[in-house]
Amino acid sequence: MENLTAISIFITVIEAKSFSAAAKKLGMVRSAVSRHITALETTLSTRLIHRTTRQLSLTAAGERYYARVSVAVQAIREAEKEIDEDRIEPIGKVVAAIPMSFGLMHILPGMAEFQQKHPKITIDLRLDDKKINLLTEGVDVALRIAELSDSTLVAKRIAHVRNILVATKSYLDANGTPTTPQDLQDHACLLYTLGASPAKWSFHKENHVSDINISSQFSASNSLAIREMALAGIGIALIPDFLVIEDLKTGRLMQLLDDWQSRTLEISVVYPSRRYVPKSVREFIAFLEERTLLVYPLVSPVSG
């Protein structure tokens, strides 16, 4: 496309209906405009414009060429206009990957307001607890609840998520309340299967570390399913604190062994690059951060 400048000048000449008018519109001298057209004709090995002292007209080849390139150049102009508009007003598609449980409970409730505020942004929301490759999957931004490995991705850490032990009063009345991590081996436990070692629960208190092999009463690859079974009194769950905020406040669930700490994970927004991040993506990043910070002031007494 080394001829793109000459092609754009050619189109302007035809639209302006003269070399002089085109030169004025482009801020060029007439001779420079003429040289570009001559160079384009030389490259194509054909005459595009009949030149006379009073008027110009397209040759048959020029008419065919103009019909094609004018459409292409207009598409380029429109693409540039969209990019310019995005710098002023967010517009376009944002593909976002969010952990399912956090997304359903804390991101999705704010989505309608975000869409109303930004009607020109189209959201493709992918709710999945599995870690994905943003670059190969074409994802613009992701929310991750994990220890981030070294990566070329840009990461903005927002808060910390802590896993806590919970059960219903009815389960504890029937089965007893564990007072040490070792007591969990005598209880029905509910396992989240996408963890690194689902059947091994680790706890620490001061300088003491306790790793417990758990007997599973129920397992699932989604934390909301674990929460539902805990609420049903089926067993004890080790679950992210953000899932049980209201359950703890209302007494539907009780926190166990709160003097022992389990694994703490960072919750971060990640995206592929700092350079040329569209305004639409920047707005959605700000939205994710805002929604996350709405959660964590509420859970800080639990997860401190």
Side-chain angles (χ1 to χ4, degrees), residues 11 37 42 45 49 86 90 127 141 161 201 209 212 273:
I11 291 171
I37 299 302
T42 300
S45 300
I49 298 174
D86 186 52
L127 297 169
V141 58
V161 176
W201 288 359
V209 177
I212 307 300
S273 173

Side-chain angles (χ1 to χ4, degrees), residues 186-204:
D186 299 323
H187 284 268
C189 294
L190 311 172
L191 299 188
Y192 175 69
T193 58
L194 294 185
S197 300
K200 179 188 285 186
W201 288 359
S202 297
F203 304 90
H204 65 274

Side-chain angles (χ1 to χ4, degrees), residues 105-106 240-250 295-296 298-299:
M105 289 197 75
H106 301 297
D241 49 13
F242 63 77
L243 285 175
V244 292
I245 300 168
E246 294 301 319
D247 301 324
L248 293 170
K249 287 169 61 177
T250 60
V295 178
Y296 273 87
L298 294 176
V299 302

Side-chain angles (χ1 to χ4, degrees), residues 24-183:
K24 185 177 180 180
K25 184 176 181 180
L26 293 168
M28 301 170 65
V29 297
R30 186 185 186 282
S31 59
V33 171
S34 181
R35 283 197 300 272
H36 277 289
I37 299 302
T38 300
L40 181 61
E41 290 176 327
T42 300
T43 300
L44 297 173
S45 300
T46 190
R47 181 175 290 278
L48 300 173
I49 298 174
H50 292 301
R51 302 164 177 81
T52 68
T53 55
R54 292 188 176 183
Q55 63 180 10
L56 59 82
S57 61
L58 288 168
T59 65
E63 288 181 354
R64 294 193 301 272
Y65 190 69
Y66 174 75
R68 291 293 188 91
V69 297
S70 60
V71 173
V73 170
Q74 181 60 29
I76 293 171
R77 288 171 178 168
E78 289 175 358
E80 291 175 342
K81 182 181 177 183
E82 285 185 4
I83 290 173
D84 287 338
E85 288 176 348
D86 186 52
R87 287 198 289 263
I88 301 168
E89 179 184 9
I91 185 172
K93 183 178 181 180
V94 176
V95 181
I98 311 291
M100 185 176 291
S101 299
F102 192 85
L104 290 174
M105 289 197 75
H106 301 297
I107 301 301
L108 205 58
M111 278 305 310
E113 182 179 353
F114 179 86
Q115 297 264 247
Q116 289 162 3
K117 183 179 178 182
H118 302 290
K120 293 185 178 181
I121 297 180
T122 302
I123 301 296
D124 179 353
L125 191 63
R126 302 180 182 180
L127 297 169
D128 198 327
D129 290 336
K130 295 179 180 178
K131 183 178 178 181
I132 63 169
N133 186 309
L134 272 63
L135 298 176
T136 59
E137 296 289 335
V139 173
D140 298 303
V141 58
L143 197 66
R144 287 199 171 153
I145 302 173
E147 294 176 357
L148 297 179
S149 58
D150 290 338
S151 168
T152 57
L153 299 175
V154 178
K156 184 176 184 180
R157 292 166 175 82
I158 304 173
H160 290 88
V161 176
R162 191 183 137 205
N163 285 330
I164 60 175
L165 287 167
V166 296
T168 59
K169 184 177 183 300
S170 62
Y171 173 85
L172 298 174
D173 287 344
N175 298 279
T177 300
T179 58
T180 69
Q182 287 73 20
D183 292 343

